[in-house]
Amino acid sequence: MLSMLLAACGGDGEKEEDTGSSNGGDSENAEAKSEGPELGQKDLTEPYVAWARETISTEMLKQLLEKAGYNVEKKQVEAGAMFSSVADGSADFQTSTWLPATHKPYWDKYSDDLVKVKQVLDKAPLALTVPSYMDDVDSMEDLKGNEELGESVDWEITGIDPGAGIMQNTEEAIKEYGLDNWSLLRSSEAAMLTELQSAIENEEPIIVPLWKPHWAFGVMDLKMLDDSKGIYGGEGDQIYTIARKGLKEDAPRAYKVMEQYDESYEMINKLMPKVHKDDQPVEEVVKNFLDNNPDKVDEWLDGVPTE
């Protein structure tokens, strides 16, 4: 009778204990799996250049990674240092690699020590840009030998910081299109935008390097000049988040967040004017976006523990 009862219950006491032990192991494995990737290296450094989109995207990833348990230090630098610091390991990742055209020189120099983590935006075009009321200027060819236009702007293209990829593109364009009388003025994005806004208010001519996404296109009537030689990258670059080699192993949870983070024109175009036009602190703008878009946050942090 006793053996029949044991058989009905699934075996003797020893086998039942083994089964219980196995179930406990499965439970532990399931719990470990649900915890997601390990935190690893807790302190991360994120260099950036204070360009229109990059100000937003840098803060966005900072706050997402902080939700995942990291301490993230942002460092504002020039373009060259943004690439070199990630390549040499003194920084961990950045959100602003425009390829194949804009940042090609930096990528050629440092790519052996960098990893493309995720393409976050497609078709980000760059070009020399003018106010739409400049009816007789639609292409790069329209600048060559244009005495009236050249004299009205002192034969100057109002540029941004010298390390920017679009400045290198413009130097090349001046040579390739034979714009011998033209020179490229080095300044900063903020200074260039001040000059652009002033020119538009007075309906004066001006030529600047610009790119999309950029908030200026949402508040000013602008047109990009046709670039038949494709020096600025044709239809547009792709934008990538890149990391130093080894970050995936050193900070697996952070790497997973970066692999899942993406952007849209709608999102970036909505946020940029709040920071750059309305002078709202980028920290508040990004926090409000994350608070008001929990589904998007869940998507970016899918499978990632939050602290």
Side-chain angles (χ1 to χ4, degrees), residues 240-295:
Y240 295 86
T241 297
I242 65 168
R244 63 171 177 81
K245 281 195 170 180
L247 184 66
K248 186 174 185 178
E249 293 73 29
D250 294 340
R253 191 182 300 177
Y255 200 89
K256 183 174 178 64
V257 175
M258 293 178 208
E259 286 182 312
Q260 296 178 165
Y261 174 73
D262 60 3
E263 297 174 4
S264 68
Y265 266 92
E266 180 182 6
M267 180 185 85
I268 295 297
N269 287 337
K270 179 180 180 180
L271 298 180
M272 283 189 297
K274 294 181 180 183
V275 174
H276 300 289
K277 182 175 181 291
D278 302 335
D279 293 325
Q280 298 180 31
V282 65
E283 296 83 3
E284 293 181 12
V285 170
V286 169
K287 183 180 185 303
N288 289 337
F289 177 86
L290 295 177
D291 289 346
N292 293 322
N293 293 272
D295 291 345

Side-chain angles (χ1 to χ4, degrees), residues 48-286:
Y48 75 104
V49 182
W51 297 323
R53 168 200 161 266
E54 281 62 31
T55 301
I56 303 294
S57 59
T58 299
E59 181 64 25
M60 191 76 73
L61 259 180
K62 178 180 185 291
Q63 292 194 25
L64 287 171
L65 289 169
E66 287 174 344
K67 288 179 181 292
Y70 291 95
N71 301 319
V72 182
E73 180 186 8
K74 294 193 305 183
K75 284 191 174 181
Q76 185 176 336
V77 297
E78 295 183 351
M82 182 174 65
F83 281 88
S84 64
S85 62
V86 177
D88 67 21
S90 58
D92 297 291
F93 70 97
Q94 50 105 321
T95 70
S96 179
T97 297
W98 296 52
L99 295 171
T102 307
H103 290 142
K104 183 180 185 300
Y106 293 122
W107 188 252
D108 289 347
K109 184 174 182 179
Y110 296 113
S111 60
D112 287 347
D113 298 307
L114 301 173
V115 178
K116 287 182 182 177
V117 181
K118 176 71 176 288
Q119 177 185 305
V120 297
L121 203 61
D122 191 19
K123 292 185 178 178
L126 306 93
L128 289 189
T129 301
V130 300
S132 294
Y133 54 73
M134 293 175 62
D135 296 328
D136 60 342
V137 182
D138 296 300
S139 69
M140 294 295 297
E141 285 86 356
D142 291 335
L143 302 181
K144 186 174 183 178
N146 192 328
E147 295 285 341
E148 182 179 355
L149 173 61
E151 291 176 3
S152 68
V153 296
D154 295 326
W155 296 98
E156 286 184 342
I157 298 166
T158 304
I160 60 172
D161 41 300
I166 196 171
M167 292 287 281
Q168 298 173 38
N169 295 149
T170 302
E171 294 282 9
E172 182 182 354
I174 289 173
K175 295 177 183 177
E176 292 297 320
Y177 284 100
L179 307 180
D180 300 331
N181 295 330
W182 290 90
S183 62
L184 178 60
L185 179 65
R186 299 179 176 186
S187 59
S188 67
E189 182 184 348
M192 177 273 287
L193 290 168
T194 297
E195 292 296 319
L196 178 61
Q197 288 177 305
S198 176
I200 289 176
E201 287 171 4
N202 296 296
E203 204 163 323
E204 295 172 345
I206 188 170
I207 307 166
V208 301
L210 258 179
W211 55 93
K212 294 179 180 179
H214 197 292
W215 64 269
F217 287 94
V219 299
M220 305 180 204
D221 190 6
L222 302 168
K223 61 181 177 181
M224 288 181 152
L225 300 187
D226 181 65
D227 170 26
S228 62
K229 297 181 183 293
I231 293 170
Y232 291 94
E235 292 185 359
D237 279 340
Q238 291 78 51
I239 305 178
Y240 295 86
T241 297
I242 65 168
R244 63 171 177 81
K245 281 195 170 180
L247 184 66
K248 186 174 185 178
E249 293 73 29
D250 294 340
R253 191 182 300 177
Y255 200 89
K256 183 174 178 64
V257 175
M258 293 178 208
E259 286 182 312
Q260 296 178 165
Y261 174 73
D262 60 3
E263 297 174 4
S264 68
Y265 266 92
E266 180 182 6
M267 180 185 85
I268 295 297
N269 287 337
K270 179 180 180 180
L271 298 180
M272 283 189 297
K274 294 181 180 183
V275 174
H276 300 289
K277 182 175 181 291
D278 302 335
D279 293 325
Q280 298 180 31
V282 65
E283 296 83 3
E284 293 181 12
V285 170
V286 169

